[in-house]
Amino acid sequence: MPTPSEHAEDYLGYFPDAELVFGISSPLGTKYGPVVESLSNYLERFQYSTKVIKLSDQFDDLLEMLGEDRMVQASKGAEQIETKIQAGNLIRKKAEKEDILALVAAAAIAGSRDEEAETSKRLPLKRTAHIIVSLKRPEEVETLRRLYGAGFFLIGIASSPVERTKYLVDERGFDNEQVKSLIEIDAREVDPWGQRTRDTFFLSDVFVAATDDKGQLRRFIDLVFGHPFDTPTVGEQSMYAAYSASFSSGDLARQVGAALVNKATDLLSIGWNDVPKFGGGLYGHGSKSRDMDLGYDSNDREKNEMADRIWEEFGFLENSKGLQEVLINALRAAGFFDITEFHRAVHAEMEALLSCGRKGISTHGSSLYVTTFPCHNCTKHIIAAGVKEVFYIEPYAKSKAFSLHNDAISALDDKTETIPFLPFVGVGPRRYLDLFSLTLGTGNSVERKKEGKKTSWDRATAVPRLQMQPISYLDRETLAMGRLSELLSRKAATQ
């Protein structure tokens, strides 16, 4: 590690050749290969080389290290995908660690540096980007963010269920039942060590389409490197409004936000999920009547009580070991625990619509941005309100919107007389300030003019705005003290 005086300015916050780490998250059936290739190619314009770490390629070796048989290489087609899922689950289970694959990725990154150098002297690779394919658990993302800080970026590759099914059936030759089962497993498995792609995808810093026909990936990389002249799209502004609205939610389950925008792109209303209050609107800060104040989720309590009443009807089996668990599992498989009608909370989409109603504002022809795919209950009101399009970030497997309202909504923007429900594409709300604010983000400030003239910006010489510091805060404190001592000594010497 450098001495306090050596490279101190670099290590105290300005490291122009900083390494970057990108993670890829995409729902099963998404063609992520072209996006990874495009990312690698575009980074070359910034004089960055790339190293791709494909986690599933290491599954068999990891299994052997954990005392299990190899299982991935021998399988093909749909069986191979299922085998990879099972292998990942088994690795997490045997290691008893949900984020084990994040540690594997970190080890691979560390191993790509000079292997002959001592660990204490190992330095960052200059202008190098590591691409991790692919992350399936939110714990993996959290660990990588703790390890690499602002220099870690999660790229979510968006693809609708219709597009993913079409790819797996038409190009990979899977049958529809195989595809349905695999997609459901990938989104959120029952296995506690299983994949949680839906929860992981939601954490992305940017969302790009699998085809990336609008160049969102390239635009995102420009912003990472401090492009000073790119501002948010209407979609990014609107989704950020929805995301920030979600913070007002006191719901016990999750925070969801929504924003309605009219044809002129004016923000009409925002909404979040919470309990309605007398006189209109929702309970907020200081309330004593929300679910978190009462201490229970009314929907969960009602479903559990119903399940108990069903079991009581089988009283003659009361002493039969394990049968109650069998019954609960059967109810869960049948979708009984997916019922949402006993919630006290108004959903975010509904509150956004109701807010317009309270103010006498028409919602006809408006666009809805929501952090989570609408449930089927909200969907029928969205249709009736005349909303023309819906954009969402997080998928919601429990929603029956498409099966109940396929006459009025679609998963594609096909210009038919249906409302398209589309995955959001653009810079994610969590990095909105970092990439668009000139001064308020966590990265370096950006200048648009100097001495009254517009500044220049060139990809070949651009520096990452959000830099991954190669030392810990304790090391930085030591450097800061050393730098302070140098400055004070220099000042004293001139007196």
Side-chain angles (χ1 to χ4, degrees):
M1 186 59 63
T3 62
S5 60
E6 184 183 2
H7 307 304
E9 295 297 341
D10 291 347
Y11 286 92
L12 282 173
Y14 185 72
F15 190 62
D17 298 323
E19 285 180 272
L20 296 170
V21 180
F22 296 94
I24 301 295
S25 177
S26 61
L28 190 145
T30 303
K31 293 196 287 186
Y32 61 79
V35 174
V36 173
E37 183 179 2
S38 178
L39 174 61
S40 297
N41 292 339
Y42 197 63
L43 283 167
E44 290 179 4
R45 299 185 64 179
F46 297 86
Q47 311 303 311
Y48 266 67
S49 62
T50 56
K51 298 179 181 293
V52 178
I53 301 164
K54 191 171 182 182
L55 293 174
S56 62
D57 286 348
Q58 304 189 44
F59 280 3
D60 274 337
D61 290 339
L62 288 168
L63 287 170
E64 279 193 335
M65 291 181 212
L66 292 167
E68 298 291 328
D69 294 331
R70 300 169 73 89
M71 59 191 296
V72 176
Q73 292 180 356
S75 55
K76 302 290 183 182
E79 180 189 349
Q80 185 179 56
I81 293 179
E82 190 171 355
T83 300
K84 284 183 178 180
I85 292 173
Q86 293 171 352
N89 296 357
L90 184 57
I91 289 166
R92 285 184 284 266
K93 181 178 180 179
K94 293 291 291 185
E96 296 184 348
K97 196 162 180 56
E98 293 92 342
D99 63 347
I100 179 67
L101 294 178
L103 303 183
V104 170
I109 292 172
S112 67
R113 302 196 178 99
D114 186 1
E115 295 180 358
E116 295 180 2
E118 296 178 21
T119 303
S120 60
K121 296 180 180 178
R122 188 171 289 162
L123 297 174
L125 294 172
K126 291 187 176 182
R127 290 195 170 262
T128 301
H130 308 273
I131 305 173
I132 304 169
V133 182
S134 63
L135 302 175
K136 295 293 187 180
R137 296 274 308 203
E139 296 90 349
E140 296 166 355
V141 177
E142 292 162 8
T143 294
L144 290 168
R145 283 191 172 138
R146 285 196 296 270
L147 281 170
Y148 299 114
F152 172 78
F153 301 92
L154 183 63
I155 299 173
I157 306 176
S159 182
S160 72
V162 172
E163 292 170 320
R164 288 182 278 134
T165 299
K166 182 176 176 59
Y167 164 66
L168 291 172
V169 172
D170 294 350
E171 296 189 35
R172 299 292 300 275
F174 301 175
D175 64 53
N176 283 300
E177 286 303 312
Q178 285 177 321
V179 170
K180 182 180 178 182
S181 173
L182 287 172
I183 286 178
E184 288 178 355
I185 290 171
D186 177 67
R188 188 173 180 87
E189 290 186 81
V190 175
D191 186 340
W193 301 103
Q195 297 186 170
R196 301 286 187 273
T197 302
R198 186 190 76 187
D199 300 335
T200 308
F201 184 81
F202 182 71
L203 300 174
S204 296
D205 297 301
V206 65
F207 301 90
V208 302
T211 55
D212 196 28
D213 52 354
K214 296 182 179 179
Q216 287 290 352
L217 180 64
R218 295 188 294 278
R219 175 172 171 265
F220 175 71
I221 299 303
D222 284 350
L223 289 166
V224 167
F225 281 87
H227 195 303
F229 308 114
D230 205 336
T231 56
T233 65
V234 171
E236 288 165 339
Q237 288 177 338
S238 304
M239 190 58 81
Y240 183 71
Y243 187 76
S244 56
S246 72
F247 301 152
S248 295
S249 170
D251 193 84
L252 290 173
R254 66 176 63 199
Q255 293 178 310
V256 181
L260 268 174
V261 178
N262 67 9
K263 295 177 183 178
T265 70
D266 299 316
L267 181 64
L268 299 179
S269 66
I270 57 174
W272 57 90
N273 55 323
D274 220 320
V275 176
K277 65 179 181 180
F278 172 76
L282 308 175
Y283 285 114
H285 177 75
S287 164
K288 302 297 182 184
S289 300
R290 295 190 284 182
D291 286 354
M292 65 179 186
D293 301 313
L294 302 181
Y296 60 87
D297 183 305
S298 59
N299 194 59
D300 288 343
R301 186 170 75 167
E302 184 64 28
K303 287 184 296 186
N304 289 333
E305 289 179 355
M306 289 170 63
D308 288 341
R309 290 196 294 271
I310 291 171
W311 174 246
E312 286 172 6
E313 293 298 317
F314 292 86
F316 61 95
L317 297 173
E318 194 168 321
N319 295 323
S320 301
K321 292 183 179 179
L323 281 180
Q324 186 172 14
E325 184 178 349
V326 171
L327 173 64
I328 295 300
N329 289 337
L331 292 173
R332 183 172 288 110
F336 175 86
F337 288 101
D338 295 341
I339 294 172
T340 61
E341 65 181 279
F342 302 109
H343 276 302
R344 296 177 67 232
V346 174
H347 286 191
E349 305 94 312
M350 276 301 304
E351 171 55 17
L353 294 171
L354 291 169
S355 178
C356 286
R358 292 194 299 270
K359 294 178 288 189
I361 298 174
S362 173
T363 58
H364 190 267
S366 62
S367 301
L368 176 66
Y369 293 82
V370 61
T371 58
T372 300
F373 187 94
C375 72
H376 40 275
N377 289 316
C378 284
T379 297
K380 60 188 175 187
H381 297 291
I382 291 169
I383 297 166
V387 173
K388 72 171 183 178
E389 57 188 357
V390 175
F391 298 93
Y392 64 93
I393 291 180
E394 184 182 8
Y396 185 44
K398 296 178 182 179
S399 178
K400 303 296 182 184
F402 283 127
S403 60
L404 293 176
H405 298 288
N406 61 2
D407 59 313
I409 70 172
S410 68
L412 300 172
D413 190 7
D414 53 10
K415 310 304 180 186
T416 60
E417 292 186 357
T418 56
I419 305 170
F421 278 46
L422 305 172
F424 170 74
V425 171
V427 172
R430 69 178 312 278
R431 282 295 175 96
Y432 190 85
L433 284 178
D434 285 345
L435 298 178
F436 289 120
S437 171
L438 296 180
T439 58
L440 294 180
T442 57
N444 296 326
S445 298
V446 170
E447 290 184 340
R448 286 181 176 164
K449 71 173 184 178
K450 198 167 186 177
E451 297 178 352
K453 294 182 179 180
K454 178 180 176 179
T455 58
S456 61
W457 181 82
D458 180 52
R459 291 180 178 86
T461 57
V463 171
R465 184 179 185 185
L466 298 146
Q467 296 183 357
M468 183 166 69
Q469 298 302 306
I471 55 176
S472 75
Y473 73 91
L474 296 175
D475 295 317
R476 287 195 289 275
E477 285 174 349
T478 301
L479 289 172
M481 289 188 295
R483 182 61 172 149
L484 176 63
S485 178
E486 285 181 7
L487 292 172
L488 294 176
S489 298
R490 190 180 306 166
K491 185 69 175 176
T494 61
Q495 297 300 319

